[in-house]
Amino acid sequence: MKKGNVAVLLSGRGSNFTAIVRASRTAGANFTVRLAVSNRADAVGLKKAARLGIPALHVDPAAFPDKAAYERAVCALLEGEHIDLVCLAGYMRLVGPVLLGRYPGRILNIHPALLPSFPGLDAQRQALDRGVKVSGCTVHFVDAGTDSGPIIAQQPVAVRPGDDEDALSRRILRQEHRLYPRAIALFFSGRLQIDGRTVIVRK
Ligand code: GRF
């Protein structure tokens, strides 16, 4: 079986990245993580990648005249590794037309809420402020909007009385680490089909 090649774009801690790499190294996995790219030099995720033996690169957006030029540089790295799927994992930048154009329907993101509720920053804080009893996480295809692309998979997580942002975030994060690798495996199974806003999972 030819395995799919994955790149992870990140900006910070990289715990989802680590979970994806671990899953890729289990028996029967249908994907390999080839590359981690960060827009931030100080991303802890870059160090984690080095420890895991995955090539990890910092691409500094400030070194380029505009977002398009920055994304062209990222795309050159991705193409060099024959990347099939780009996974955003705590990547704190909006994806622009260059990256979207080169990888149409081939960019995923994970968000720590049940979309379309609470898109954008501080999703766990937003959920607590709104008093919801259930939140969770969502893996979706990336489009030009903020956390607005077709939804692939979701996992609900109960909000417990007395939860603060840290407690809820930790509980959601544990589920993120399970959901993201499952969604990636589903992508490479070839069973996903995008129909407008809906992702159909074929039998
Ligand atoms: C996660 O909560 C993810 O849902 C959000 O950013 C956070 C990244 O965490 N998009 P990590 O860097 O994977 O630990």
Side-chain angles (χ1 to χ4, degrees), residues 5 7 34-35 37 71-86 98-99 101-104 106:
N5 288 335
R34 294 271 174 215
L35 184 66
V37 177
E71 289 198 342
R72 276 196 294 276
V74 172
C75 284
L77 295 172
L78 302 177
E79 280 157 17
E81 294 292 335
H82 308 288
I83 295 304
D84 302 303
L85 180 70
V86 179
V98 169
L99 204 45
R102 298 261 186 109
Y103 290 88
R106 294 196 290 146

Side-chain angles (χ1 to χ4, degrees), residues 120-173:
L121 294 175
D122 301 324
Q124 302 94 332
R125 175 81 262 148
Q126 293 184 53
L128 287 171
D129 287 349
R130 188 60 185 78
V132 296
K133 305 301 184 202
V134 178
S135 190
C137 48
T138 303
V139 178
H140 62 93
F141 284 104
V142 171
D143 64 11
T146 300
D147 304 319
S148 55
I151 290 169
I152 299 169
Q154 296 186 294
Q155 178 62 49
V157 172
V159 178
R160 294 183 189 154
D163 264 353
D164 61 11
E165 199 175 337
D166 271 2
L168 180 60
S169 300
R170 263 199 306 278
R171 209 167 326 109
I172 292 174
L173 193 63

